[in-house]
């Protein structure tokens, strides 16, 4: 019987004497013991309980020699217990190897942690670097390298961080980066690329204009207006900006022919009819205008009662004026009103248009050109910053 744990067994009869039994050959055992070498010691070992006889000879008549001591184990390996059989394999010391593997794993983990922290630090530093490198605004930051799609705004700008030339959702309305006065563009004064920023380009026809919804400059107080201009017109009047849409303008800044040649001009009106007798002009003659990028700036000092014109940071001239006539109507880009007629359509490009509520000195005008004006004064309005 069995309980199911062990299979049933069948006792075997003892083998008959002399028969060999269980697969052994019949007859008495061989002297050397079933394949063991003579002497009965088994592979060079003496018989159990016997001391080796130094005078004993082997089958070839040579004196008996003790077996060589086993070779020392290699690091990380252990020799199996048992006879020192020639060619016996060595087995790995798994515990030692596991210890070394664990140590290597811990070291790799430490390096990975240190590397991760280093990468994070470099990324943080690089981000800071890129933010600082992109800071700047037009002439005050001419070394700025903004990205194609977004770039930093002036610190006190009310606009979003990502710079766009126009109001979101309306590509015909220039966005005021410092104030809240947009400029609506006519059909032929269009926004175009300027490197990684923007400009407006006019065709020099009656549709090459831009206009705000309300007056921007208070001509009863001191002010400075400035823009970067590129004229492609060979003749005629070409106005960068003016103010007024009634019968005449309050002021105009741009190009006009003086003594038969083109010159940069700043002109103000002191009477309400636009008569020559009530107009005051400052001109910069003898300069190359055609297809020449130029920074133009005009100022009115209400206390000193004078106007001045600067070209590329240098004063071209100044003159005394009585109070400027406050013409009705908004700021204009690319045109001016003369005797109830629009004149001076802009042909070329304009950008970096700014208005300050103060009259710049000659030193400030030069510093502005070099990008060294400093943190003050701040513009009251600005469009198409570069």
């Amino acid at each position: 019987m069995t309980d199911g744990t062990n299979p049933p067994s069948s006792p075997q009869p003892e083998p008959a004497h002399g028969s060999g039994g269980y697969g052994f050959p019949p007859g008495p055992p061989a002297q050397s013991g079933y394949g063991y070498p003579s002497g009965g010691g088994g592979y060079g070992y003496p018989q159990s309980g016997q001391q080796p006889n130094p005078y004993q000879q082997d089958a070839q008549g040579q004196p008996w020699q003790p077996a060589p001591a086993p070779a020392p184990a290699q690091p990380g390996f252990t020799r199996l217990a048992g006879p020192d059989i020639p060619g016996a394999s060595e087995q790995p010391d798994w515990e030692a190897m596991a210890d070394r593997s664990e140590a290597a794993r811990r070291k790799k983990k430490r390096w990975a942690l240190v590397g991760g922290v280093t990468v994070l630090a470099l990324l943080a530093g690089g981000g800071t670097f890129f933010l600082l490198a992109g800071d700047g605004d037009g002439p005050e930051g001419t070394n700025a390298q903004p990205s194609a799609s977004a770039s930093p705004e002036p610190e006190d700008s009310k606009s979003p961080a990502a710079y766009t030339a126009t109001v979101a959702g309306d590509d015909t309305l220039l966005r005021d980066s410092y104030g809240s006065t947009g400029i609506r563009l006519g059909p032929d004064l269009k926004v175009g690329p300027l490197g990684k920023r923007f400009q407006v380009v006019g065709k020099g026809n009656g549709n090459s204009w831009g206009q705000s919804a309300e007056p921007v400059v208070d001509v009863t107080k001191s002010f400075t207006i400035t823009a970067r201009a590129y004229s492609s017109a060979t003749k005629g009047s070409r106005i960068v900006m003016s103010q007024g849409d009634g019968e005449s303008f309050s002021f105009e800044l741009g190009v006009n022919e003086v003594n038969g040649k083109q010159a940069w001009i700043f002109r103000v009106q002191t009477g309400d009819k636009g008569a020559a007798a009530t107009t005051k002009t400052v001109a910069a003659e003898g300069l190359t205008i055609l297809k020449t990028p130029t920074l133009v700036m005009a100022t009115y000092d209400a206390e000193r009662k004078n106007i001045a014109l600067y070209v590329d940071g240098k004063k071209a001239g100044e003159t005394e004026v009585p109070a400027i006539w406050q013409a009705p109507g908004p700021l204009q880009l690319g045109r001016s009103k003369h005797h109830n007629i629009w004149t001076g359509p802009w042909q070329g490009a304009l950008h970096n248009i700014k208005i300050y509520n103060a009259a710049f000195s000659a030193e400030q005008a030069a510093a502005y050109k070099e990008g060294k004006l400093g943190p003050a004064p701040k513009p009251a309005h600005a469009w198409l910053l570069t």
Side-chain angles (χ1 to χ4, degrees), residues 12 17 27 80 123 139 206 374:
Q12 300 293 323
H17 181 72
L80 293 176
L123 288 176

Side-chain angles (χ1 to χ4, degrees), residues 202-217:
K203 294 183 177 180
N205 59 28
N207 289 322
S208 301
W209 54 267
Q211 177 177 290
S212 65
E214 58 189 8
V216 174
V217 180

Side-chain angles (χ1 to χ4, degrees), residues 136-145 228 368-371 386:
D137 173 26
E140 292 100 339
T142 54
N143 292 327
Q145 298 293 328
R228 290 185 178 271
Y368 183 93
K369 171 61 172 62
E370 298 300 323
T386 58

Side-chain angles (χ1 to χ4, degrees), residues 82-260:
D84 186 17
I85 303 174
S89 63
E90 292 178 332
Q91 298 295 322
D93 185 344
W94 299 113
E95 183 176 356
M97 292 177 68
D99 290 342
R100 289 198 303 274
S101 177
E102 177 63 20
R105 187 187 66 80
R106 288 196 299 267
K107 183 176 181 181
K108 182 177 181 181
K109 186 176 180 180
R110 285 196 301 271
W111 277 110
L113 180 61
V114 172
V117 172
T118 303
V119 169
L120 289 176
L122 289 174
L123 288 176
T128 304
F129 169 77
F130 288 122
L131 285 174
L132 292 176
D135 197 13
D137 173 26
E140 292 100 339
T142 54
N143 292 327
Q145 298 293 328
S147 66
S149 60
S151 54
E153 278 292 289
E155 292 181 1
D156 57 351
S157 172
K158 297 179 182 178
S159 55
Y163 183 81
T164 56
T166 56
V167 173
D170 190 347
D171 59 4
T172 67
L173 185 63
L174 294 184
R175 185 172 61 81
D176 186 348
S177 293
Y178 282 85
S180 56
T181 305
I183 295 180
R184 179 67 62 187
L185 300 177
D188 290 330
L189 187 64
K190 296 184 178 295
V191 175
L194 178 63
K196 295 182 180 180
R197 289 295 185 96
F198 309 96
Q199 61 186 349
V200 288
V201 181
K203 294 183 177 180
N205 59 28
N207 289 322
S208 301
W209 54 267
Q211 177 177 290
S212 65
E214 58 189 8
V216 174
V217 180
D218 184 352
V219 297
T220 67
K221 299 177 181 179
S222 298
F223 64 85
T224 296
I225 58 175
T226 182
R228 290 185 178 271
Y230 179 90
S231 175
S232 58
T234 58
K235 61 181 180 179
S237 174
R238 306 293 172 177
I239 300 303
V240 172
M241 76 176 88
S242 68
Q243 185 165 287
D245 63 356
E247 188 171 338
S248 186
F249 60 91
S250 283
F251 65 81
E252 61 182 8
L253 171 65
V255 178
N256 203 358
E257 291 190 4
V258 178
N259 297 321

Side-chain angles (χ1 to χ4, degrees), residues 247-282:
E247 188 171 338
S248 186
F249 60 91
S250 283
F251 65 81
E252 61 182 8
L253 171 65
V255 178
N256 203 358
E257 291 190 4
V258 178
N259 297 321
K261 296 182 179 181
Q262 286 189 321
W264 291 105
I265 59 97
F266 177 47
R267 183 179 290 131
V268 300
Q269 184 58 256
T270 62
D272 61 358
K273 298 298 182 181
T278 59
T279 301
K280 295 290 185 178
T281 303
V282 177

